[in-house]
Amino acid sequence: METILKSDISDDLKQIAQKVFEGKRISVAEGILLYEKAELGYLAVLANFVREKLHGKKTYFNRNFHIEPTNICIYSCKFCSYVRKIGQEGAWEYDLAGIEELAHKHKAANPTEVHIVGGVHPKRDLHYYGEMIQRIKAILPDVHVKAFTAVELEFMIKKAKMTLADGLKKLKEYGLDSIPGGGAEIFAPEIRTQVCDEKSTAEMWLEIHQTAHEVGLPSNATILYGHIESYAHRIDHLQRLRELQDKTGGFNTFIPLKYRNQNNSLSELGEVSTLEDLRNFAVSRIFLDNISHLKAYWPMLGKEKAQLSLSFGVDDIDGTIDDSTKIYSMAGVEDEKPQMTTNELVDLIKSANFEAVERDTLYNVIKKY
Ligand code: V47
Ligand code: SF4
């Protein structure tokens, strides 16, 4: 740290380092400056300082699987490789019996979490998904149900003609335990309207998460980066999350999702470099001083890059997955069958000199390795 403060870097970057070491919040302008001017090694030192202050060397993972009930969606986000319309080739929709089969199939792996995420199906409302949760919990009574992006929630609650608060309370009664971070994409309207014009607005996404926190449902947050957004747009996104977190404290984890470019309408854009991924993790860790955890979602990033990210502020690499998600293989990620055993996750973490900790969804420690 001393070296950073004395070294040959600009005064504005030194001031940012000073603030970070003193535990002070950095401003929007300083966040943009970090993206634009700071070298990777410099970002790594600052991000790792924040990470170690919060979590030491602990690196979290869980035993989870996904259920993707359907890829049929009323929207057509330009970055989405997974969406299909009713009757289109490649469309799928599980009925409730099919969902029960999936729960049975994954039971043997003894998961602590099921993550449910899918398209916004035109015919299904809150009560259908409520029954889905109940049937899953009848098979897996102790599993934590982390389900439905704000975009799916907005539609299913409106379709059931309920207010946001009543809809979320009702889902909680059905057994919903928390909300995943998807659907946030990028909040800045000038970019959001270009990449996902039709789906929930930024304001609606934030209102749903605020309401969820108020009714006692914790949640995660994401950003979709590496397409047509600028650094200022990324910081604007982080700033809106930081503001909401100041109000509610309901976010557990922030998950930057790298735009993957196969089989979608933005394919010609290409993908950003690993260097950019690491810079993005580091700036997120430094800027978001009030969200405890930073996750590298390995099915999206790849195992080795997820491991590398642990030195750039990341303290969580998601879970075993058990080959249960198609979102990323359809967008071009090499790993066609995403699954890791507990031992593989532990090895990945330990071989990078971090401490592996199995957690539940809310970061209660299950086992230290
Ligand atoms: O909102 C869609 C993203 C998200 C692409 O809360 C894409 O723990 C990259 O939110 N390239 C859904 N990303 C997944 C999600 C998530 C994943 C893991 C953990 C958690 C959590 C949440 O997937 C969507 C969208 O941003 N996405 N297409 C693509 N081509
Ligand atoms: Fe639908 Fe989600 Fe794909 Fe957008 S990202 S088209 S909301 S499934």
Side-chain angles (χ1 to χ4, degrees), residues 136-335:
I136 292 170
K137 283 202 164 171
I139 297 162
L140 299 165
D142 299 324
V143 89
H144 176 113
V145 176
K146 179 178 83 178
F148 314 127
T149 64
V151 178
E152 293 163 270
L153 288 166
E154 181 190 7
F155 184 85
M156 72 173 79
I157 293 172
K158 278 195 181 148
K159 198 167 171 66
K161 299 193 170 46
M162 296 174 91
T163 63
L164 288 181
D166 287 347
L168 289 163
K169 280 187 210 153
K170 186 73 200 164
L171 283 164
K172 203 171 170 221
E173 274 170 39
Y174 278 123
L176 181 67
D177 295 301
S178 70
I179 295 176
E185 320 311 359
I186 194 94
F187 292 145
E190 61 271 31
I191 301 299
R192 198 172 184 86
T193 48
Q194 289 187 65
V195 297
C196 53
D197 197 18
E198 311 146 315
K199 78 201 285 181
S200 315
T201 60
E203 290 70 27
M204 177 55 74
W205 190 98
L206 290 161
E207 191 183 339
I208 289 175
H209 281 258
Q210 174 164 356
T211 312
H213 300 168
E214 286 164 0
V215 305
L217 288 165
S219 72
N220 290 339
T222 56
I223 183 173
L224 180 71
Y225 72 94
H227 42 96
I228 57 167
E229 85 291 357
S230 68
Y231 290 141
H233 296 127
R234 289 192 207 168
I235 290 290
D236 167 74
H237 193 94
L238 299 184
Q239 166 66 10
R240 295 188 200 212
L241 291 174
R242 195 167 76 173
E243 259 173 36
L244 178 53
Q245 181 73 340
D246 276 344
K247 279 194 210 159
T248 66
F251 289 120
N252 281 327
T253 312
F254 180 61
I255 309 137
L257 295 169
K258 175 195 183 113
Y259 165 66
R260 306 300 311 244
N261 79 336
Q262 296 297 297
N263 310 315
N264 60 56
S265 314
L266 296 177
S267 288
E268 77 282 0
L269 286 179
E271 292 179 354
V272 295
S273 65
T274 302
L275 202 85
E276 187 59 31
D277 297 328
L278 298 174
R279 293 173 64 76
N280 193 57
F281 280 120
V283 176
S284 304
R285 182 60 287 170
I286 296 163
F287 192 87
L288 282 178
D289 59 348
N290 56 359
I291 299 187
S292 188
H293 299 280
L294 180 65
K295 182 190 285 189
Y297 181 56
W298 68 261
M300 174 272 293
L301 201 62
K303 294 170 193 169
E304 287 184 5
K305 288 179 203 167
Q307 186 184 44
L308 198 57
S309 73
L310 301 181
S311 300
F312 294 82
V314 166
D315 65 282
D316 187 313
I317 55 171
D318 206 79
T320 46
I321 307 290
D322 212 8
D323 185 20
S324 55
T325 175
K326 291 198 189 135
I327 298 183
Y328 290 98
S329 55
M330 289 172 83
V333 178
E334 303 74 25
D335 212 339

Side-chain angles (χ1 to χ4, degrees), residues 58-214:
K58 288 193 202 81
T59 300
Y60 297 94
F61 69 94
N62 71 352
R63 270 178 292 121
N64 63 350
F65 72 102
H66 287 222
I67 290 181
E68 295 171 354
T70 182
N71 65 346
I72 291 169
C73 187
I74 56 170
Y75 303 127
S76 303
C77 303
K78 293 218 173 91
F79 49 79
C80 183
S81 317
Y82 151 103
V83 56
R84 297 289 184 276
K85 302 297 169 190
I86 291 177
Q88 196 183 344
E89 199 188 327
W92 76 77
E93 50 186 314
Y94 288 98
D95 59 14
L96 291 173
I99 298 284
E100 285 176 325
E101 263 178 51
L102 290 174
H104 280 297
K105 177 177 153 198
H106 292 283
K107 192 177 166 94
N110 199 17
T112 59
E113 174 189 282
V114 57
H115 177 166
I116 311 178
V117 62
V120 178
H121 194 290
K123 297 192 177 147
R124 292 178 175 175
D125 75 355
L126 174 149
H127 302 292
Y128 175 85
Y129 286 108
E131 188 176 347
M132 182 182 290
I133 295 173
Q134 285 178 329
R135 291 205 192 188
I136 292 170
K137 283 202 164 171
I139 297 162
L140 299 165
D142 299 324
V143 89
H144 176 113
V145 176
K146 179 178 83 178
F148 314 127
T149 64
V151 178
E152 293 163 270
L153 288 166
E154 181 190 7
F155 184 85
M156 72 173 79
I157 293 172
K158 278 195 181 148
K159 198 167 171 66
K161 299 193 170 46
M162 296 174 91
T163 63
L164 288 181
D166 287 347
L168 289 163
K169 280 187 210 153
K170 186 73 200 164
L171 283 164
K172 203 171 170 221
E173 274 170 39
Y174 278 123
L176 181 67
D177 295 301
S178 70
I179 295 176
E185 320 311 359
I186 194 94
F187 292 145
E190 61 271 31
I191 301 299
R192 198 172 184 86
T193 48
Q194 289 187 65
V195 297
C196 53
D197 197 18
E198 311 146 315
K199 78 201 285 181
S200 315
T201 60
E203 290 70 27
M204 177 55 74
W205 190 98
L206 290 161
E207 191 183 339
I208 289 175
H209 281 258
Q210 174 164 356
T211 312
H213 300 168
E214 286 164 0

Side-chain angles (χ1 to χ4, degrees), residues 29-40:
E30 288 167 334
I32 297 172
L33 196 82
L34 280 181
Y35 271 127
E36 285 176 346
K37 295 231 184 104
E39 286 174 15
L40 184 63

